[in-house]
Amino acid sequence: MVNLKINGIDVSVEAGTTILQAAEKLKIKIPVLCYHKDLCIAGNCRVCVVEVVGSRKLVAACATPVSEGLEIHTNSLMVRNARKDIIELLLSEHNADCTKCYRNGNCELQDLAAEYKITNQDFLDLAHGAYTIDDLSPSIIKDDSRCIRCQRCVRTCSEMQSVGALSVANKGSEMKISTFFDRPMREVVCTNCGQCVIHCPTGALIEKTYIERVWDAIADPNKHVVVQTAPAVRIGLGEELELDAGERVTGKMVSALKRLGFDSVLDTDFTADLTIMEEGTELLHRLKANLVEGDHSEPLPMTTSCSPGWVKFFEHTFPEMLDNMSTCKSPQQMFGSLAKTYYAKKIDVDPENIVSVSVMPCTAKKFEADRPEMRDSGYKDVDYVLTTRELAVMIMQAGIQFADLPDEKYDSIMGKSSGAAVIFGATGGVMEAALRTAYELVTGREVPFENLNIEPVRGLDGVREATVKIEDVLPDWKFLEGAELKCCVAHGLANARNVMEKVKNGEVDYHFIEIMACPGGCLGGGGQPIPTNDAIRQKRMKAIYDEDLSLAVRKSHENPEIVQIYKEFLGEPLGKQSHKLLHTEYFE
Ligand code: HC1
């Protein structure tokens, strides 16, 4: 252990601990900007400077390891003056027109300026240069005038996601965050995952908002506005509305959506159940084709396809393996194509007059909804995608006191779901949901209650593996008797890249791989409340599994509305109608 003093208080910490972490142990707050717990240390903003007693030296607390006998002051005159100068310098280069900023009220630089009462302008105001605002992407707006060059986005995009769409260009005062040849985000390898958005401390990277268009649709008496809500929204939304992280707010969210004026409040979880029916059947079909019939046109391992950031990354990075990806559309898009066909017919509304809105924890869903192939209903299947954060804005604008709302239920037809669908929102959830259904399809026996939680695929480890031994199968599945189904789960695109490189090189022989673009899965998506970090991801994850436990139906194939839609409309999984509306193809 290493012994040191911070503000005169003794503390012992492990060797290698930084001054920032040691101060945290003493509950002493040191302000940070370029530092984020998810990312490697950069130490470039210097906001976290502290004084080394006796040396009159200032060091960056985030980047300086402790040493024996070290004495630190975090609040000396020298520290306060230096910190104030640093914040003022950052502001002098920043477009601090806060009332016009989307992050107004949730900006780390604004908070620091407020804390340090920066009311003067001692430094030259440089914030009025020719800055670029790139708003061509359907998901993300990059506003260089708001950028403080902390490089959190660059580290997120390269380390966490291994995408590298954002990088540092130029030097000195010319330095800026750029893309390949400074092209717009939509023309480079950006996956639209939005992790840069939730790691940006200011308004330099924000989601493209569709709030006004949704208000317009709600106000139009000729439109029937249908809204769907993704699994992870119900465990994140409360955080934006002053509730604690990990509070489950499903009933209040439904209540709020009805008060906002949506005509039908339905659930993406319904089509998550449908995805399990289609994807589970597709997996069994691929196993038979590859293992029995020697037909490798739809190869193994099969990867999931519901995370649009992952799909785009896969298209860019592993174009030669596109046939490995399940052809299932994501639940959002399955919902969209059914909303303007099956649902429209059920409620007797001309699909032309249906406006289909989704609320997602994800910015890439905006991109997904815009893909030209997502029009199988004959219309744009999903018209507008709002993030969890945007929904919270609408609720606040409407003056709804969210915490006081009663719990209400989703409308029927495409509003019922199972616990298996809810867990889609956590990394490993799609795999677990699929295994619950596949077991019963193949064996004809119920999964014993105590085995419904499939622990090896749960948690926040970047890559997890599970092997499922298949025994006592039904006659149709005799070829699987005694087989071991090898599964893998990965989240975050850097982990995804590692797994897929191994698949490509023949180093692993999985049958089924679940990949979610964002750390933690959708619960940590780029559209979720800011901040998001591992402690918060854990709380949201617990909430997801609690929600599953609270539901009477926990397996997709037991959802009565799923049984009904196959009977009345779709026929059977992978049937003709399913192929037309629920499946898609991928592009290099
Ligand atoms: Fe997800 Fe999915 S789980 S991709 O993270 O398959 O966004 O929540 O809606 O579509 O269901 C997101 C979440 C979401 C889809 C489902």
Side-chain angles (χ1 to χ4, degrees):
M1 298 297 274
V2 177
N3 304 299
L4 68 154
K5 264 192 199 337
I6 302 182
N7 298 348
I9 309 169
D10 290 317
V11 61
S12 299
V13 290
E14 304 249 346
T17 305
T18 62
I19 296 170
L20 182 70
Q21 290 164 326
E24 250 178 28
K25 197 173 168 193
L26 291 174
K27 305 256 184 284
I28 294 172
K29 188 183 154 205
I30 297 173
V32 292
L33 270 179
C34 69
Y35 175 84
H36 192 291
K37 282 194 170 146
D38 283 347
L39 306 172
C40 80
I41 289 162
N44 58 19
C45 80
R46 316 310 279 184
V47 161
C48 67
V49 285
V50 292
E51 181 182 346
V52 179
V53 177
S55 74
R56 301 283 298 156
K57 241 174 60 185
L58 292 172
V59 295
C62 74
T64 310
V66 295
S67 55
E68 187 63 32
L70 188 67
E71 266 196 61
I72 293 295
H73 275 164
T74 68
N75 187 35
S76 62
L77 192 60
M78 184 161 79
V79 168
R80 265 200 316 281
N81 286 341
R83 218 174 258 161
K84 223 170 156 186
D85 282 351
I86 290 164
I87 298 166
E88 281 179 28
L89 278 166
L90 285 169
L91 285 168
S92 76
E93 292 189 316
H94 174 82
N95 175 357
D97 194 354
C98 296
T99 55
K100 292 194 188 134
C101 179
Y102 191 69
R103 286 284 297 272
N104 185 9
N106 183 6
C107 165
E108 294 176 40
L109 182 60
Q110 190 184 45
D111 288 349
L112 276 178
E115 251 174 55
Y116 283 80
K117 299 290 172 227
I118 310 288
T119 51
N120 52 340
Q121 180 71 61
D122 288 346
F123 297 100
L124 199 59
D125 187 357
L126 301 171
H128 301 294
Y131 291 108
T132 311
I133 298 179
D134 171 11
D135 63 357
L136 296 176
S137 151
S139 308
I140 295 170
I141 297 176
K142 178 171 172 284
D143 178 350
D144 290 350
S145 77
R146 310 269 180 199
C147 178
I148 56 168
R149 303 183 290 182
C150 66
Q151 301 171 34
R152 277 201 207 166
C153 56
V154 175
R155 283 173 282 151
T156 302
C157 195
S158 55
E159 280 167 30
M160 177 182 268
Q161 299 297 66
S162 83
V163 170
L166 295 170
S167 58
V168 176
N170 308 335
K171 285 186 170 177
S173 63
E174 299 292 302
M175 192 270 250
K176 65 175 197 168
I177 307 306
S178 188
T179 54
F180 183 70
F181 276 95
D182 223 5
R183 301 301 303 160
M185 300 264 278
R186 76 162 186 201
E187 291 179 18
V188 297
V189 290
C190 170
T191 65
N192 301 275
C193 73
Q195 285 301 314
C196 57
V197 172
I198 57 169
H199 287 89
C200 177
T202 67
L205 287 152
I206 57 171
E207 70 256 40
K208 183 173 265 186
T209 178
Y210 296 88
I211 292 174
E212 294 308 325
R213 298 211 203 159
V214 173
W215 280 131
D216 287 349
I218 289 173
D220 186 339
N222 298 317
K223 297 293 178 195
H224 185 100
V225 189
V226 175
V227 66
Q228 54 164 316
T229 62
V233 177
R234 68 206 68 201
I235 51 83
L237 180 65
E239 286 167 46
E240 286 284 299
L241 297 162
E242 293 180 4
L243 299 177
D244 290 335
E247 275 213 37
R248 293 191 276 140
V249 296
T250 316
K252 288 188 193 308
M253 175 181 71
V254 171
S255 210
L257 289 165
K258 290 185 175 177
R259 278 155 216 240
L260 291 178
F262 287 100
D263 297 298
S264 300
V265 179
L266 303 173
D267 203 353
T268 316
D269 289 20
F270 166 78
T271 33
D273 278 331
L274 198 57
T275 300
I276 290 301
M277 300 303 293
E278 294 291 326
E279 203 166 88
T281 309
E282 185 183 352
L283 176 64
L284 293 171
H285 170 85
R286 283 188 189 227
L287 285 166
K288 191 169 191 178
N290 283 274
L291 304 179
V292 182
E293 295 157 3
D295 171 2
H296 306 295
S297 56
E298 291 176 303
L300 294 170
M302 184 179 85
T303 76
T304 54
S305 54
C306 44
S307 163
W310 155 238
V311 171
K312 188 147 191 279
F313 179 79
F314 198 64
E315 288 174 320
H316 293 160
T317 318
F318 299 99
E320 70 283 16
M321 294 173 77
L322 287 180
D323 289 338
N324 286 77
M325 186 165 274
S326 162
T327 60
C328 286
K329 286 181 187 169
S330 75
Q332 165 178 275
Q333 293 306 138
M334 285 192 186
F335 189 102
S337 57
L338 291 173
K340 294 191 181 179
T341 52
Y342 173 67
Y343 189 74
K345 207 163 166 203
K346 278 283 203 189
I347 60 167
D348 197 21
V349 171
D350 183 345
E352 177 92 35
N353 291 326
I354 287 195
V355 177
S356 161
V357 176
S358 69
V359 186
M360 294 280 139
C362 174
T363 48
K365 289 283 174 195
K366 294 173 189 271
F367 159 78
E368 182 184 54
D370 256 24
R371 292 183 68 131
E373 62 272 27
M374 297 299 170
R375 291 169 180 266
D376 286 327
S377 64
Y379 305 87
K380 188 171 186 243
D381 294 333
V382 175
D383 293 294
Y384 305 118
V385 179
L386 302 171
T387 60
T388 308
R389 295 187 293 266
E390 287 171 273
L391 174 59
V393 170
M394 290 182 75
I395 292 171
M396 286 186 275
Q397 287 178 345
I400 293 169
Q401 302 300 307
F402 189 73
D404 298 332
L405 287 175
D407 287 346
E408 288 189 46
K409 289 204 177 332
Y410 285 102
D411 294 324
S412 63
I413 319 175
M414 298 176 50
K416 275 204 173 53
S417 65
S418 73
V422 172
I423 61 174
F424 263 56
T427 165
V430 180
M431 175 70 68
E432 181 167 342
L435 291 177
R436 287 181 193 175
T437 287
Y439 178 92
E440 296 200 7
L441 280 181
V442 169
T443 66
R445 294 189 305 280
E446 274 214 44
V447 182
F449 180 78
E450 62 279 14
N451 293 343
L452 272 177
N453 298 354
I454 302 172
E455 296 295 339
V457 297
R458 293 189 176 190
L460 281 176
D461 288 346
V463 179
R464 305 178 306 281
E465 294 177 330
T467 302
V468 183
K469 182 109 195 227
I470 309 171
E471 281 166 333
D472 296 331
V473 296
L474 289 170
D476 273 1
W477 306 108
K478 267 292 165 230
F479 71 96
L480 286 173
E481 186 69 61
E484 291 196 329
L485 189 67
K486 292 186 187 144
C487 307
C488 175
V489 172
H491 59 123
L493 292 173
N495 292 319
R497 182 190 286 275
N498 286 340
V499 167
M500 295 315 296
E501 288 289 355
K502 284 186 184 162
V503 171
K504 193 168 135 186
N505 298 334
E507 294 166 37
V508 286
D509 59 347
Y510 303 129
H511 297 106
F512 188 28
I513 303 175
E514 180 211 287
I515 292 183
M516 287 290 173
C518 294
C522 296
L523 60 85
Q528 287 287 70
I530 301 170
T532 290
N533 54 43
D534 262 351
I536 292 173
R537 289 185 191 102
Q538 291 279 13
K539 288 183 184 170
R540 293 181 192 156
M541 185 172 277
K542 180 175 179 316
I544 288 248
Y545 288 122
D546 287 348
E547 183 92 348
D548 167 33
L549 275 175
S550 76
L551 294 172
V553 176
R554 294 184 62 203
K555 290 170 274 182
S556 300
H557 58 283
E558 291 179 356
N559 176 345
E561 290 192 344
I562 291 291
V563 176
Q564 187 186 354
I565 196 173
Y566 276 112
K567 202 161 142 208
E568 291 181 356
F569 185 69
L570 290 172
E572 56 179 355
L574 296 190
K576 200 166 159 227
Q577 187 75 304
S578 294
H579 256 299
K580 175 169 158 33
L581 293 174
L582 310 181
H583 291 257
T584 186
E585 56 195 71
Y586 306 101
F587 302 97
E588 289 179 27

